[in-house]
RNA sequence: GCGGGCGUGGCGAAAUUGGUAAACGCAGCGGACUUAAAAUCCGCCGACCGUAUAGGUCUUGCCGGUUCAAUUCCGGCCGCCCGCACCA
């Protein structure tokens, strides 16, 4: 009998052995020659300092794919690095007087050690942190090239200001009107800042979503919605009567429903519209209204509760189609400045918001779209607007047209009148990237009074962050640094100041995968990209993934990346979270899983013996203390067990619940596998006895099933197939010694199929079996197709769709013979009760159904 | 409100071209081994009727449809989760 498998002894030994020969180093294009490449990448981690179980799951999944592809003969790139800029480092600096850089690099060291314990097949030679000057210097060069190509610009604009973090946020970082990290209500401020022109690619980013057929449907939909394309008409309404100064052209609006122009009842301006602002200077009512609107949050509840309110400006505009008719101009709180032109024409009969507003202020409601099944004489609009399609009426030259034709006709008319034109509007805004923070990539610009914003010359990059900074005052340490920002202008050499804003850290993660592929080598980048399989959390469905798609396009267009499609990630998989039960003491304190135990029928806190409440299963989080520390799991059970459990039980895209019993099950499996490798059966030709054939069939079928489960990202099914295989071999344990050839083949195949899931154990088994080299470098066992087929097959026999019996027949038996056998079956005869079958369906190899 | 997804035993789940529903694991029950426990091994384990290792009936959120056959396809409900949201 073999001794128990001791992961604490075996695992470090194998990791050291892999490292010694640099087993997982990716080959360059030249070295690899004709071998196909596979770039497998997990979203790189933020170096918080501690690994959590979510990391284990994420990287275990990527490692299964990477190891499998390597076994399949691919030249695999599976790198690791650190998304190292960001706010937590500055918070640590404030709380503990430690430099953000020092804190970050210490965390990286700690997490690298933790990662290395997991036995991931990573190429560490390409490791970098985004806070390395080599990386952010290269990023600064990209920024300047993008600036040259007009993909970066600077403008004053209203920005989302997070009052807690003292910085600007991108639109994507504002959730429910609150900062995505701080949770503080976002304020509006006017600031000059830098923008990436992501809208230049809006159409392409949208179109290409359709080509991402190895992305989850959900993520594609979210991206498409975020880009938010709508076709319509941008037009102006000239003033009738008083024309305010500076608005001689009238009021510019955007609409997707120009067919309803005859139903126009009023014009509504956003409270932040330039005309509203201009008028407010003269009107106290209006400026008070504007102030009120600014106060109301944009959270879900706020929007739902907020009444539609507005103020009549007293101005009037001319209706474009109806001679002599004028429309009042209101300022209304429901019109957004951030979409379209910040002004709309309202057709209350065809839009619920317009209708609510019209009812409140007693404005006209004129129906112009008749639903297909309605009668023009009786159709009325009361509390609900009709937003669907129909036939136009009450609409002059548009009468009788369908909604679709009416839209086209109205646009043509407006265009011929010179009042506007067909346009496409996107919800996507340009990406504001200036952040008033220290721990980020400095924007490589010098501001000169004479020359303006001047790019830092290439030979002066990187613009390094100064080390001697303080965090004892609010605001940006770069801005108050005594000397750093004072530099001569690169052009005129007069005194000038550096830009003290740094780039949004999402920029850092928008191209790191290209840097892994080739630090300076564009040919290597072209070879590796796109990433073949990307794995990460669905929380990045919009932000990171959209920004990365933008960056690869921009890099392509500035000559930094030969990637015609511009798509960085050919395959994307979004994995579910790791959850755990929650525990609460009677006084409401959250308790850690290690602080509680099951006692009889109830749960108690170990320290006090007091009863506790077991709460719901939720995402592991520090605040609810329902976390499990990967280090202690690895120490207790080994990395392989932790990996296996993270991959079993639940489909990868779904959440998985961490349970003690589940981990123990995985640990048991580890010992069961090891126990198969006691004796080392000699390498001979597989035997042909029944036992040998049965073992060979089991092995080849299992290997094929595991292969398919990995290809399809269904690791839980792969783990189940491993269990079945091992259980089957255990059952035949006694017979294995009599058939050493088949046994050796089975155990060799098993070790290789085990490798992606439990690589250390697989190496130990491989060595025990007497195989040469590393199983981590061994080829995937190709299943023999002849062994996947059975000679005979057991068919269920249904009578009227209910299973009544079964027969075992040779696989090749023809349908008529199968039918005859089925009809002769004793049980079937009993159920047929003498009746003649109306119909007999024989699906070869599947089923027989007799209809009587 | 709009969009997407999900709903199967006590629990996590399988059944990925419409063809034996519940593989595999967890929990549970019974047994073997042991002075004992742990570990390990063996057996049972959807519900109901039944003494049952006989047999039968029912069962994939609910109602209906297509089909010889539906967890799978179609229509309508119900519930849960996620995303977006006064986007004109």
């Amino acid at each position: 009998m073999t001794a128990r498998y001791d992961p604490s002894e075996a695992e470090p030994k194998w990791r050291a052995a892999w490292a010694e020969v640099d087993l997982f180093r990716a080959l360059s294009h030249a070295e690899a020659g004709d071998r196909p490449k596979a770039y497998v990448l997990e979203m790189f981690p933020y170096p918080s300092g501690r690994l959590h179980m979510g990391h284990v799951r994420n990287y275990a999944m990527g490692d299964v794919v990477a190891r499998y592809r390597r076994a399949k003969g691919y030249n695999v790139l599976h790198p690791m690095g650190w998304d190292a800029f960001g706010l937590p480092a500055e918070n640590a600096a404030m709380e503990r007087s430690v430099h953000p850089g020092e804190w970050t690099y210490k965390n990286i060291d700690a997490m690298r050690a933790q990662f290395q314990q997991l036995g991931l097949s990573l190429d560490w030679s390409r490791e970098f942190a985004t806070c390395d000057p080599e990386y952010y210097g290269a990023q600064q060069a990209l920024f300047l090239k993008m600036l040259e190509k007009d993909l970066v610009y600077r403008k004053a604009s209203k920005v989302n200001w997070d009052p807690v973090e003292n910085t600007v946020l991108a639109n994507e970082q504002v959730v429910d009107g609150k900062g995505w990290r701080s949770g503080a209500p976002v304020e509006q401020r006017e600031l000059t800042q830098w923008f990436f022109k992501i809208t230049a690619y809006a159409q392409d980013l949208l179109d290409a979503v359709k080509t991402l057929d190895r992305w989850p449907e959900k993520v594609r939909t979210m991206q498409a919605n975020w880009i938010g394309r709508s076709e319509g008409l941008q037009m102006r309404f000239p003033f009738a009567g008083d024309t305010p100064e500076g608005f001689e052209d009238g009021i510019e609006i955007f609409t997707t429903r120009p067919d309803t122009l005859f139903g126009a009842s009023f014009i509504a301006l956003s409270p932040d519209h330039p005309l509203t602002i201009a008028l407010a200077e003269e009107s106290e009512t209006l400026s008070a209204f504007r102030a009120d609107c600014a106060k109301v949050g944009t959270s879900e509840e706020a929007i739902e509760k907020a009444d539609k309110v507005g103020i009549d400006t007293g101005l009037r505009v001319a209706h474009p189609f109806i001679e002599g008719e004028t429309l009042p101009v209101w300022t209304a709180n429901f019109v957004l400045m951030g979409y379209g032109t910040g002004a709309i024409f309202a057709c209350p009969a065809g839009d619920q918001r317009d209708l609510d507003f019209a009812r409140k202020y007693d404005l006209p409601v004129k129906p112009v779209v008749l639903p297909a099944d309605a009668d023009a004489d009786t159709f009325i609009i009361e509390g609900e607007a009709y937003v669907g399609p129909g036939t136009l009426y009450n609409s002059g030259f548009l009468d009788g047209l369908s909604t679709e034709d009416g839209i086209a006709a109205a646009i043509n008319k407006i265009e011929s009148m010179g009042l506007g034109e067909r346009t496409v509007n996107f919800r996507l805004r340009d990406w504001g990237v200036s952040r008033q923070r220290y721990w980020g990539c400095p924007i490589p610009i010098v501001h000169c009074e004479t020359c303006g914003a001047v790019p830092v010359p290439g030979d002066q990059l990187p613009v390094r962050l100064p080390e001697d900074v303080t965090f004892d005052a609010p605001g940006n340490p770069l801005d108050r640094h005594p000397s750093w920002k004072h530099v001569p202008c690169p052009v005129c050499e007069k005194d000038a100041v550096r830009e003290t804003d740094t780039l949004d850290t999402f920029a850092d993660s928008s191209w790191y995968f290209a840097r892994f592929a080739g630090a300076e080598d564009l040919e290597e980048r072209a070879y590796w990209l796109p990433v073949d399989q990307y794995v990460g959390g669905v929380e990045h469905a919009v932000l990171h993934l959209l920004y990365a798609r933008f960056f690869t396009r921009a890099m392509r267009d500035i000559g930094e990346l030969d990637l015609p499609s511009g798509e960085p990630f050919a395959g994307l998989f979004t994995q579910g979270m790791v959850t755990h039960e929650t525990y609460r003491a009677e006084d409401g304190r959250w308790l850690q899983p290690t602080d509680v135990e099951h006692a009889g029928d109830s749960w108690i806190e170990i320290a006090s013996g007091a009863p506790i409440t077991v709460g719901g299963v939720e995402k592991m989080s520090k605040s609810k203390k329902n976390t499990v520390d990967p280090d202690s799991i690895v120490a207790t059970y080994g990395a392989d067990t932790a990996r296996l459990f993270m991959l079993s039980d639940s489909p990868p895209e779904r959440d998985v619940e961490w349970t003690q019993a589940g981990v123990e099950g995985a640990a048991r499996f580890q010992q069961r596998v090891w126990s198969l490798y006691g004796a080392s059966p000699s390498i001979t030709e597989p035997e042909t006895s029944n036992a040998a054939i049965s073992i060979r069939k089991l092995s080849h079928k299992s290997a094929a099933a595991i292969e398919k489960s990995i290809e399809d990202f269904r690791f839980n099914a792969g783990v189940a197939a491993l269990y079945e295989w091992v259980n089957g071999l255990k059952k035949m344990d006694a017979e294995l010694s009599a058939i050493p050839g088949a046994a050796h083949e089975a155990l060799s195949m098993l070790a290789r199929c085990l490798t992606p899931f439990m690589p250390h154990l697989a190496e130990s088994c491989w060595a025990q079996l007497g195989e040469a080299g590393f199983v981590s470098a061994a080829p995937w066992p190709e299943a023999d197709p002849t062994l996947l087929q059975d000679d005979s097959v057991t068919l269920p026999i249904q009578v009227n769709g209910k299973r009544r019996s079964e027969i075992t027949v040779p696989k090749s038996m023809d349908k008529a013979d199968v039918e005859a056998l089925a009809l002769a079956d004793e049980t079937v005869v009993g159920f047929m009760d003498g009746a003649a079958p109306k119909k007999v369906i024989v699906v070869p190899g599947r089923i027989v159904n007799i209809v009587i």
Side-chain angles (χ1 to χ4, degrees):
Chain A
M1 195 58 209
T2 332
R4 286 181 66 78
Y5 176 71
D6 179 5
S8 68
E9 185 261 327
E11 292 188 348
K13 183 183 80 187
W14 290 120
R15 289 195 297 267
W18 296 331
E20 198 174 324
V21 298
D22 214 0
L23 192 61
F24 305 117
R25 192 179 71 81
L27 303 179
S28 68
H29 192 182
E31 290 170 316
D34 289 342
R35 270 174 77 180
K37 67 95 184 175
Y39 188 173
V40 180
L41 184 68
E42 300 88 49
M43 292 180 184
F44 69 161
Y46 177 79
S48 59
R50 296 298 301 168
L51 220 59
H52 53 70
M53 276 300 165
H55 287 122
V56 176
R57 193 173 191 214
N58 189 184
Y59 294 97
M61 285 179 189
D63 202 45
V64 169
V65 176
R67 285 178 173 273
Y68 168 75
R69 287 279 163 229
R70 185 170 284 108
K72 277 292 211 174
Y74 287 79
N75 178 29
V76 172
L77 173 56
H78 189 209
M80 176 62 89
W82 310 96
D83 188 13
F85 275 135
L87 214 46
E90 288 192 50
N91 291 340
M94 280 185 265
E95 284 160 22
R96 289 173 245 174
S97 323
V98 53
H99 187 271
E102 189 192 330
W103 183 85
T104 301
Y105 282 108
K106 253 169 103 172
N107 284 349
I108 288 174
D109 288 341
M111 284 179 81
R112 186 190 303 109
Q114 287 189 297
F115 269 120
Q116 286 176 339
Q117 284 197 357
L118 295 178
L120 303 167
S121 63
L122 291 164
D123 179 355
W124 284 99
S125 73
R126 298 174 186 240
E127 176 190 9
F128 63 80
T130 55
C131 63
D132 296 342
E134 298 75 34
Y135 183 78
Y136 70 72
Q139 186 163 301
Q140 289 167 343
L142 290 179
F143 179 93
L144 294 176
K145 278 197 169 183
M146 285 162 74
L147 181 63
E148 257 173 58
K149 283 268 184 181
D150 287 331
L151 290 167
V152 171
Y153 65 94
R154 189 164 179 261
K155 73 164 185 199
S157 76
K158 253 197 167 174
V159 296
N160 306 302
W161 181 261
D162 187 318
V164 169
E165 302 200 340
N166 278 316
T167 189
V168 166
L169 299 177
N171 291 329
E172 288 84 346
Q173 293 163 339
V174 179
V175 179
D176 274 351
K178 294 177 183 134
W180 69 305
R181 291 190 65 103
S182 72
V186 168
E187 296 170 6
Q188 303 296 307
R189 284 202 186 177
E190 181 90 5
L191 277 184
T192 300
Q193 62 155 13
W194 293 93
F195 287 85
F196 281 129
K197 205 185 222 165
I198 190 168
T199 55
Y201 297 98
Q203 189 66 55
D204 184 38
L205 286 166
L206 181 66
D207 290 343
V209 163
K210 296 187 198 84
T211 69
L212 300 172
D213 54 354
R214 289 204 295 122
W215 281 41
E217 188 60 41
K218 179 190 168 118
V219 176
R220 294 163 64 182
T221 311
M222 283 168 71
Q223 293 245 334
N225 290 346
W226 192 267
I227 296 165
R229 181 184 201 271
S230 50
E231 286 177 29
L233 168 70
Q234 184 157 331
M235 65 168 291
R236 61 194 172 82
F237 283 79
F239 284 99
D242 288 350
T243 300
E245 206 186 317
F247 296 90
E248 286 75 12
D249 287 342
I251 296 173
E252 196 81 27
I253 63 103
F254 173 75
T255 178
T256 55
R257 291 296 300 274
D259 59 312
T260 63
L261 268 167
F262 280 94
S265 163
F266 59 99
I267 296 289
L269 305 173
S270 161
D272 295 320
H273 192 278
L275 178 54
T276 311
I277 295 170
L279 295 171
E281 280 174 22
E282 308 292 316
S283 156
E284 271 190 30
T285 334
L286 255 185
S287 62
F289 176 71
R290 288 195 67 231
D292 281 348
C293 291
K295 263 188 248 157
V296 178
T298 46
S299 70
E300 193 176 331
E301 313 94 88
I303 287 165
E304 216 135 274
K305 281 184 203 146
D307 273 342
K308 309 244 174 323
V309 290
I311 305 251
D312 187 351
T313 65
L315 296 168
R316 300 195 80 83
V317 295
H319 194 290
F321 294 154
I322 309 174
E323 189 73 37
E325 180 160 323
T326 64
L327 304 171
V329 178
W330 287 67
T331 288
N333 66 342
F334 67 92
V335 182
L336 305 174
M337 194 57 220
Y339 187 78
T341 62
I344 60 162
F345 92 82
C347 172
D351 183 288
Q352 193 58 45
R353 293 154 304 176
D354 299 351
L355 183 64
D356 293 345
F357 194 83
R359 292 294 186 222
K360 176 157 181 154
Y361 294 105
D362 210 15
L363 293 155
V365 178
K366 177 180 165 193
V368 286
V369 181
L370 191 64
D373 53 357
D375 178 353
D377 295 331
T378 54
F379 180 68
I380 48 165
I381 299 285
E382 291 191 64
E384 222 167 278
Y386 178 71
V387 300
T391 306
L392 296 169
Y393 70 130
N394 295 335
S395 291
F397 72 95
L398 297 175
D399 276 354
L401 294 178
S402 67
T403 297
E404 198 185 331
D405 294 343
I407 289 172
I411 293 178
N412 290 342
K413 181 82 175 172
I414 292 290
E415 282 183 338
S416 73
M417 293 166 78
L419 286 176
E421 56 196 12
R422 190 182 303 272
T423 48
V424 172
N425 227 301
F426 290 96
R427 186 180 169 278
L428 185 69
R429 315 274 86 195
D430 276 335
W431 175 16
V433 289
S434 298
R435 295 291 180 275
Q436 294 67 45
R437 310 253 47 127
Y438 166 75
W439 196 232
C441 171
I443 295 174
I445 294 287
V446 173
H447 296 286
C448 168
E449 276 186 22
T450 318
C451 312
V454 180
V456 172
D459 61 4
Q460 290 174 30
L461 297 182
V463 175
R464 281 171 181 269
L465 288 166
E467 294 283 325
D468 51 334
V469 282
T470 56
F471 293 89
D472 46 9
N476 182 353
L478 287 179
D479 199 33
R480 63 171 182 265
H481 188 278
S483 58
W484 181 78
K485 68 179 175 185
H486 299 290
V487 288
C489 169
V491 178
C492 70
E493 299 190 345
K494 280 192 223 142
D495 287 353
V497 287
R498 285 192 190 284
E499 171 73 57
T500 58
D501 284 349
T502 50
L503 286 177
D504 182 357
T505 55
F506 271 103
D508 311 337
S509 54
S510 293
W511 69 286
Y512 74 102
F513 43 88
R515 183 85 180 174
F516 278 144
E520 309 284 345
D521 187 338
L522 298 193
E523 202 280 326
E524 277 290 298
R525 280 187 192 168
Y527 168 61
W528 286 111
L529 287 174
V531 173
D532 296 279
Q533 186 63 60
Y534 199 34
V535 187
V538 73
E539 65 273 19
H540 294 110
V542 177
L543 296 168
H544 163 57
L545 292 169
L546 188 63
Y547 292 150
R549 296 180 63 218
F550 160 68
F551 247 78
T552 43
R553 283 166 169 78
M555 287 173 75
R556 175 193 65 196
D557 294 345
I558 60 176
E560 287 286 322
L561 190 58
D562 181 9
L563 183 67
S565 73
E567 286 301 333
F569 312 119
L572 171 70
F573 190 87
T574 52
Q575 95 277 4
M577 297 178 302
V578 182
T579 62
H580 197 286
E581 271 182 336
T582 50
Y583 310 101
R584 251 185 147 156
E586 282 180 324
D587 57 12
R589 279 175 303 126
W590 296 103
L591 299 169
Q592 292 179 355
T594 47
D595 293 340
V596 303
E597 68 179 10
H598 201 74
D601 286 344
S602 57
W603 288 78
I604 57 162
E605 179 175 7
I606 295 170
S608 63
I612 58 149
T613 316
V614 177
V617 175
E618 296 182 54
K619 180 187 181 181
M620 283 189 179
S621 73
K622 272 186 207 155
S623 59
K624 296 198 172 144
K625 295 202 174 168
N626 60 339
T627 57
V628 170
D629 177 35
D631 271 358
S632 76
I633 297 297
V634 169
T636 311
Y637 301 100
D640 283 346
T641 296
R643 290 172 56 137
L644 185 77
F645 181 52
M646 286 288 84
L647 298 168
S648 60
D649 263 37
S650 281
E653 69 277 11
R654 244 183 265 179
D655 292 353
V656 66
E657 184 188 352
W658 182 276
T659 62
Q660 183 70 23
V663 185
E664 282 166 8
R668 263 200 299 278
F669 175 72
Q670 177 164 260
Q671 297 298 341
R672 274 169 74 75
V673 172
W674 181 240
S675 71
L676 286 168
Y677 289 81
S680 296
S682 57
I683 308 169
T684 62
E685 278 299 301
E687 298 77 6
T688 52
S689 65
N690 285 345
I693 288 169
S694 142
I695 279 196
R696 297 197 70 207
K697 281 190 167 175
L698 170 67
S699 299
H700 286 255
K701 282 180 180 175
S702 298
I706 292 162
E707 170 162 353
K708 181 150 176 42
S709 80
I710 295 175
E711 293 275 3
D712 295 349
F713 247 88
R714 294 165 59 250
F715 306 130
N716 55 325
V719 172
L722 277 170
Y723 271 100
E724 275 184 90
W725 191 356
V726 169
N727 290 349
L729 290 175
K730 278 299 270 187
K731 277 215 166 72
M732 299 183 72
D733 220 353
E735 287 131 276
L736 292 183
S737 58
I739 43 171
H744 187 277
E745 183 194 44
L747 293 175
S748 166
M749 287 176 79
L750 175 61
R752 283 178 278 165
C753 290
L754 198 59
T755 303
F757 301 89
M758 307 182 86
H760 310 90
L761 174 66
E763 291 290 1
S764 289
C765 294
W766 190 249
Q768 177 74 10
L769 197 58
E771 300 281 31
F774 293 111
V775 71
S776 297
W780 188 259
E782 296 302 333
D784 178 347
T786 60
L787 288 166
L788 300 181
Q789 305 270 334
D790 290 311
D791 302 335
S792 66
V793 60
T794 300
L795 298 178
I797 306 172
Q798 297 182 332
V799 178
N800 285 340
K802 285 192 207 299
R803 184 183 176 283
R804 295 301 180 187
S805 184
E806 60 182 38
I807 48 170
T808 300
V809 300
K811 187 149 191 141
S812 57
M813 183 181 265
D814 70 40
K815 279 169 102 168
D817 295 341
V818 173
E819 182 175 331
L821 266 178
L823 288 170
D825 184 89
E826 216 176 292
T827 323
V828 171
V829 168
F831 270 97
M832 288 177 57
D833 204 19
K838 272 193 203 140
K839 197 172 177 183
V840 180
I841 293 112
V842 179
V843 184
R846 289 282 192 184
I847 203 164
V848 180
N849 191 9
I850 299 162
V851 186
I852 55 173

